[in-house]
């Protein structure tokens, strides 16, 4: 089945700077890449996603990039705020599969 | 109000006891999932259900079974719980599997002593 690698596992950035989380996948048939945010003690929630027919998508301060040739996708958070501190999970869905494959997560810590 | 609910939220059991975790959703979603979350391991899929009485193993089904008798309700059962099943369990639901957002419940923190 699909494998998704997510790096880094912990990311510390200064408030106001940008944060980047990178994921890679193995199956070239993967066609949907969502990102979930999990705040402490809470459940994961979808924050942004991208389909394989796109290379870039932006929702406010969130930017997702997809490089299908390299089988990589990334989440960029611009102008980070304390509320961005959370666990972030990337995931991939392979065409014909019945499930998402999640990365192991990135703990993002925004330092004042 | 779109919601996934889980009961109980916290549970402590002794090794060898049976465990029943319950999940409900009010969105008439066909597909429901059970995951466990452990530090450093992310979200691991235990079982997936496509609809009533139509279930399939996920990536780590050993030691678990599920039941779905109504579309809005999905149960996870641990027969004779083991200490290594101590974890946070999340239920989720989605409308289908393709490009579909998964809505997660609040989680159940299970401790097996």
């Amino acid at each position: 089945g699909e494998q998704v690698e997510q790096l880094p596992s912990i990311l510390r950035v200064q408030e106001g700077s940008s944060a980047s989380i990178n994921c890679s996948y193995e199956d070239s048939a993967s066609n949907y890449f969502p990102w979930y945010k999990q705040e402490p003690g809470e459940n994961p929630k979808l924050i942004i996603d991208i389909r394989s027919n796109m290379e870039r998508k932006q929702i406010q301060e969130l930017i997702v990039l997809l490089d299908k040739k390299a089988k990589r996708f990334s989440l960029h958070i611009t102008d980070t705020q304390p509320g961005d501190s959370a666990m972030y999970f990337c995931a991939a869905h392979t065409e014909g599969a019945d499930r998402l494959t999640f990365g192991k997560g990135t703990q993002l810590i925004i330092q004042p | 109000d779109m919601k996934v609910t889980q009961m109980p939220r916290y549970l402590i059991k002794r090794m060898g006891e049976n465990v029943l975790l319950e999940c409900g959703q009010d969105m008439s979603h066909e597909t429901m999932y059970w995951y466990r979350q452990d530090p450093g391991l992310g979200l691991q899929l235990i079982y997936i259900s496509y609809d009533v009485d139509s279930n399939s193993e996920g990536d780590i089904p050993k030691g678990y079974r599920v039941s779905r008798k109504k579309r809005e309700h999905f149960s996870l059962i641990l027969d004779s719980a083991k200490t290594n099943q101590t974890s946070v369990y999340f239920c989720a639901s989605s409308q289908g599997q393709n490009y579909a957002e998964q809505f997660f419940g609040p989680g159940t923190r299970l401790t097996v002593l």
Side-chain angles (χ1 to χ4, degrees):
Chain A
E2 175 67 289
Q3 301 285 326
V4 175
E5 183 178 21
Q6 181 173 350
L7 292 171
S9 55
I10 301 175
L11 177 61
R12 293 184 175 86
V13 301
Q14 292 293 122
E15 182 178 345
S17 65
S18 296
S20 296
I21 302 171
N22 300 294
C23 292
S24 60
Y25 59 100
E26 294 185 352
D27 195 331
S28 57
S30 289
N31 59 6
Y32 173 62
F33 307 92
W35 287 85
Y36 285 78
K37 176 183 180 182
Q38 184 181 25
E39 300 192 49
E42 298 290 320
N43 53 355
K45 294 180 178 66
L46 178 70
I47 53 171
I48 191 168
D49 57 13
I50 190 167
R51 299 189 184 190
S52 58
N53 60 352
M54 301 175 69
E55 296 179 349
R56 184 183 191 277
K57 184 176 181 177
Q58 182 168 359
I59 298 176
Q60 297 181 333
E61 80 281 5
L62 304 176
I63 300 170
V64 173
L65 302 176
L66 174 62
D67 182 343
K68 287 182 292 185
K69 280 188 178 178
K71 298 181 189 173
R72 292 179 181 173
F73 58 112
S74 56
L75 174 68
H76 306 270
I77 306 173
T78 60
D79 188 23
T80 53
Q81 300 299 311
D84 295 323
S85 291
M87 180 72 78
Y88 291 81
F89 294 100
C90 64
H93 176 265
T94 302
E95 187 171 357
D98 60 359
R99 64 197 64 182
L100 291 174
T101 300
F102 284 90
K104 288 182 167 47
T106 296
Q107 183 70 52
L108 175 62
I109 300 166
I110 308 301
Q111 297 175 322
Chain B
D1 188 22
M2 301 187 297
K3 187 183 278 189
V4 178
T5 58
Q6 289 185 237
M7 291 292 288
R9 295 293 313 280
Y10 302 91
L11 188 60
I12 299 174
K13 287 286 193 178
R14 296 197 178 278
M15 191 169 60
E17 292 184 328
N18 298 331
V19 176
L20 172 64
L21 304 184
E22 308 208 65
C23 174
Q25 49 100 359
D26 62 2
M27 298 169 277
S28 296
H29 283 168
E30 299 167 340
T31 310
M32 297 186 74
Y33 313 81
W34 276 106
Y35 294 91
R36 64 177 283 176
Q37 183 177 22
D38 302 287
L41 297 180
L43 294 160
Q44 297 176 275
L45 181 65
I46 305 171
Y47 267 93
I48 181 172
S49 174
Y50 309 112
D51 211 329
V52 172
D53 283 331
S54 179
N55 308 315
S56 180
E57 294 181 346
D59 301 317
I60 54 163
K62 188 177 179 181
Y64 304 94
R65 61 183 175 95
V66 292
S67 174
R68 192 165 179 203
K69 297 301 182 184
K70 294 181 180 180
R71 177 172 278 194
E72 64 271 19
H73 193 249
F74 190 33
S75 301
L76 180 69
I77 301 123
L78 289 66
D79 295 314
S80 188
K82 300 173 180 54
T83 55
N84 62 7
Q85 292 177 307
T86 292
S87 187
V88 179
Y89 291 85
F90 284 101
C91 173
S93 73
S94 66
Q95 187 58 46
Q97 297 110 47
N98 294 323
Y99 309 116
E101 177 179 357
Q102 291 190 18
F103 292 85
F104 285 81
T108 295
R109 183 174 293 275
L110 172 66
T111 301
V112 183
L113 302 175

